[in-house]
Amino acid sequence: MKFIKSDLLTLLIGLFILGGCKNPSGIGLDVDPANALSSNLDTTVTVTTKLLRPDSTLVNFTEKSALGYFKDPIFGTTTNNMAVALTLPNASFSFGANTSLDSAVLVLPLSGFYGDSLNTNYTLEVRQLNELLYNETKKTYYDNKKWSFKSNLLATKNFGARYRDSIIIQDIIVGKKDTVKKVIPQLRIKLDPTFITNMILKSDTLNLVSNKAFSNYFKGLYISLNKNSTTNNGGTFLFDTYSTGAARLDIFYKKKTNAIVDTLNTSLAIAGSNGFAVTELTWDMAGTAVQSTLQNPATSNNKLYLQSFNGTYVKVDFPDLNKLKTLGTNIAINRAEIVLKIDQGSETPYIPIPRLRIYRWDIANRPQFLPDEIPGEPRSTGVIGGFYNAAKKEYVFNCPGYIQDLLSGRLKNYGTFITTTDFTRSFYNILQPQPVSTLSQPARSVTGGGTNVTYRTFLRVYYTNLN
């Protein structure tokens, strides 16, 4: 019984302490607008929005690689090609004597698609790179890099956008009868057997002593879609080139040992996690409303065109945020929602971007998370929003900590940006977390800007006057 009484006493003391506490900041309280009886609402703060193009975008060390040719009626034409390096199974690898090639298949696991999946036929083409991609120092590449490749074709493949369909393939089992198995959705492209035989199977063993030696000799592969063969509007495919062994070149060959011939399989992996898979990005916005908006000198754009792969982004500003101080000398912001409304009609036939992100610049113009999602920040909720709400046709970012800091002067607005660039925890710097491109969601969105009468971008603030 004494333990029960002790627990009750502890509970009562805790209730008295909590009942007597006052939160002088009140920041970040999760207030349901429908039940916010003690909260006030303000939507009068002016929001300006300026559409911008980034200087460059990281296109390797990404979770996905993109391949596409997409003629968007609003955004223009986007082209995505891939440059990949192959890595050996191990150092000083050898196929051995008495071997002959059966087939060589480039395997590209599908992980997403955006565009015309019904009416477009695609023709994939593979060529050999004419410059080195593999680099032991893990060099980074950006979208302004254009790769040199040889003109002769190593393979072509005609296909449709059946990116969710698993397939049945032959399963090679050493020393036993071969069988079949079901595998995840993937493109399987047979490469020129003469090329593979001469360049790999019968290559000088000195070319196979290390990945560096092999890449200096072989260079890599360049993968693209034939623009002339891509019917209608086309689209963009995503491939998993990051997971170990997912994307690869499978080499099936016969080996004779003591009068016994067996079929063997060796895989040369595409090590995207080490930076050896690069997406080449090209945008052609000539004659589009996007280009006109980018060239518009106005400080705030009426309509915003957000394109994935960091094609465009938006600078957001609050020039008269201090007017909130007229609401009271000591106000606590419970919710502060930046709301972007979809321009109705633009969401079909191509759905909007699933999620937008928001970040700020520090004094050195380095990207930083808002206080509301900094790991370890007491006010951080971990989820700042930015997801597309299909029912309301809008994006909402909830950042009360950031708006409160701007209002109090704790932070200065050196730049606030809404972008299609995703974030990945594997690239977090504990002292200075930064957004990193992942090329994970090919899509686009058209929203109203700060001066749009019908679909205005605005700031919705729920606050409590502590006085």
Side-chain angles (χ1 to χ4, degrees):
M1 289 294 294
K2 66 179 182 180
F3 294 106
I4 296 175
K5 291 179 180 179
S6 176
D7 289 342
L8 288 174
L9 180 61
T10 302
L11 176 61
L12 288 172
I13 293 173
L15 289 174
F16 281 121
I17 292 174
L18 291 174
C21 280
K22 292 183 181 180
N23 182 357
S25 65
I27 298 171
L29 298 178
D30 191 9
V31 179
D32 184 349
N35 301 318
L37 300 179
S38 61
S39 275
N40 302 295
L41 171 64
D42 184 271
T43 59
T44 63
V45 173
T46 301
V47 178
T48 63
T49 52
K50 181 66 177 175
L51 188 69
L52 301 170
R53 279 277 286 128
D55 293 330
S56 60
T57 300
L58 181 71
V59 288
N60 68 331
F61 295 102
T62 56
E63 294 177 356
K64 313 292 180 186
S65 294
L67 177 69
Y69 180 64
F70 186 27
K71 295 177 288 186
D72 189 295
I74 298 177
F75 285 76
T77 301
T78 305
T79 305
N80 314 114
N81 303 317
M82 293 165 52
V84 300
L86 303 176
T87 56
L88 299 171
N90 50 66
S92 298
F93 177 79
S94 174
F95 289 93
N98 302 317
T99 58
S100 61
L101 182 69
D102 187 62
S103 63
V105 180
L106 180 63
V107 181
L108 299 174
L110 285 153
S111 59
F113 174 80
Y114 188 83
D116 183 359
S117 61
L118 300 176
N119 307 307
T120 300
N121 293 316
Y122 303 87
T123 301
L124 180 146
E125 298 179 342
V126 182
R127 295 175 173 84
Q128 185 182 14
L129 281 177
N130 204 29
E131 60 179 305
L132 181 65
L133 166 57
Y134 178 88
N135 191 301
E136 290 183 326
T137 60
K138 297 186 176 182
K139 182 178 180 180
T140 54
Y141 294 99
Y142 293 85
D143 63 329
N144 53 5
K145 166 65 177 174
K146 303 304 176 187
W147 290 89
S148 173
F149 54 89
K150 297 181 179 180
S151 60
N152 56 306
L153 280 171
L154 304 181
T156 63
K157 184 179 181 66
N158 299 315
F159 65 101
R162 293 185 292 275
Y163 59 98
R164 295 176 178 170
D165 297 344
S166 57
I167 61 175
I168 304 295
I169 65 169
Q170 185 179 12
D171 188 14
I172 304 297
I173 303 177
V174 178
K176 297 181 180 179
K177 185 179 179 180
D178 298 339
T179 181
V180 295
K181 63 180 178 181
K182 180 183 287 188
V183 295
I184 62 173
Q186 57 189 237
L187 288 184
R188 301 179 64 85
I189 306 104
K190 286 190 175 182
L191 300 190
D192 180 5
T194 303
F195 172 81
I196 297 299
T197 297
N198 294 334
M199 292 293 293
I200 299 180
L201 222 65
K202 293 184 178 180
S203 172
D204 191 308
T205 55
L206 291 177
N207 294 324
L208 304 178
V209 296
S210 67
N211 283 322
K212 182 177 181 180
F214 177 67
S215 293
N216 282 330
Y217 159 73
F218 186 82
K219 300 298 189 292
L221 299 174
Y222 184 81
I223 307 164
S224 60
L225 292 180
N226 187 304
K227 298 178 181 179
N228 297 325
S229 300
T230 302
T231 60
N232 298 305
N233 285 341
T236 302
F237 295 86
L238 287 180
F239 297 103
D240 180 7
T241 54
Y242 193 86
S243 302
T244 303
R248 62 195 185 274
L249 176 64
D250 282 342
I251 299 179
F252 303 91
Y253 60 100
K254 289 182 172 61
K255 185 172 184 178
K256 185 177 181 180
T257 306
N258 298 327
I260 298 175
V261 178
D262 199 1
T263 301
L264 305 178
N265 175 21
T266 292
S267 295
L268 278 64
I270 297 170
S273 59
N274 289 324
F276 308 139
V278 182
T279 298
E280 183 184 77
L281 302 178
T282 303
W283 288 276
D284 183 1
M285 301 176 179
T288 65
V290 183
Q291 185 185 57
S292 299
T293 303
L294 288 168
Q295 295 173 346
N296 190 333
T299 57
S300 185
N301 298 129
N302 182 53
K303 194 175 289 188
L304 306 173
Y305 302 89
L306 286 151
Q307 189 173 27
S308 61
F309 301 164
N310 211 20
T312 57
Y313 68 109
V314 174
K315 183 178 182 181
V316 182
D317 205 356
F318 319 99
D320 58 355
L321 185 64
N322 281 336
K323 73 187 303 182
L324 289 177
K325 293 181 179 179
T326 63
L327 302 175
T329 57
N330 189 16
I331 66 169
I333 297 176
N334 304 320
R335 290 184 70 87
E337 299 174 334
I338 303 172
V339 183
L340 284 81
K341 292 282 189 179
I342 287 290
D343 188 51
Q344 290 193 17
S346 66
E347 72 275 21
T348 56
Y350 306 116
I351 62 173
I353 298 169
R355 188 185 188 185
L356 300 176
R357 301 306 305 264
I358 189 169
Y359 66 94
R360 68 178 183 88
W361 269 353
D362 61 16
I363 192 172
N365 291 347
R366 297 172 302 187
Q368 301 284 349
F369 292 111
L370 303 194
D372 305 89
E373 68 169 342
I374 293 178
E377 162 68 48
R379 295 170 296 175
S380 173
T381 62
V383 179
I384 200 170
F387 295 97
Y388 176 59
N389 187 322
K392 296 183 178 181
K393 301 184 186 302
E394 68 181 18
Y395 299 92
V396 177
F397 297 95
N398 182 32
C399 44
Y402 183 50
I403 297 301
Q404 185 87 58
D405 284 354
L406 293 179
L407 190 62
S408 66
R410 181 180 179 183
L411 285 178
K412 184 176 180 180
N413 189 1
Y414 294 103
T416 306
F417 304 95
I418 294 174
T419 177
T420 64
T421 298
D422 207 346
F423 297 79
T424 173
R425 288 190 176 274
S426 62
F427 280 80
Y428 273 11
N429 180 317
I430 295 175
L431 298 178
Q432 185 186 319
Q434 295 186 21
V436 177
S437 172
T438 59
L439 300 183
S440 59
Q441 49 177 17
R444 45 68 148 187
S445 298
V446 183
T447 73
T451 55
N452 192 306
V453 176
T454 309
Y455 307 114
R456 178 175 63 94
T457 296
F458 62 95
L459 178 64
R460 186 163 55 204
V461 177
Y462 296 92
Y463 67 96
T464 300
N465 194 326
L466 298 180
N467 291 329

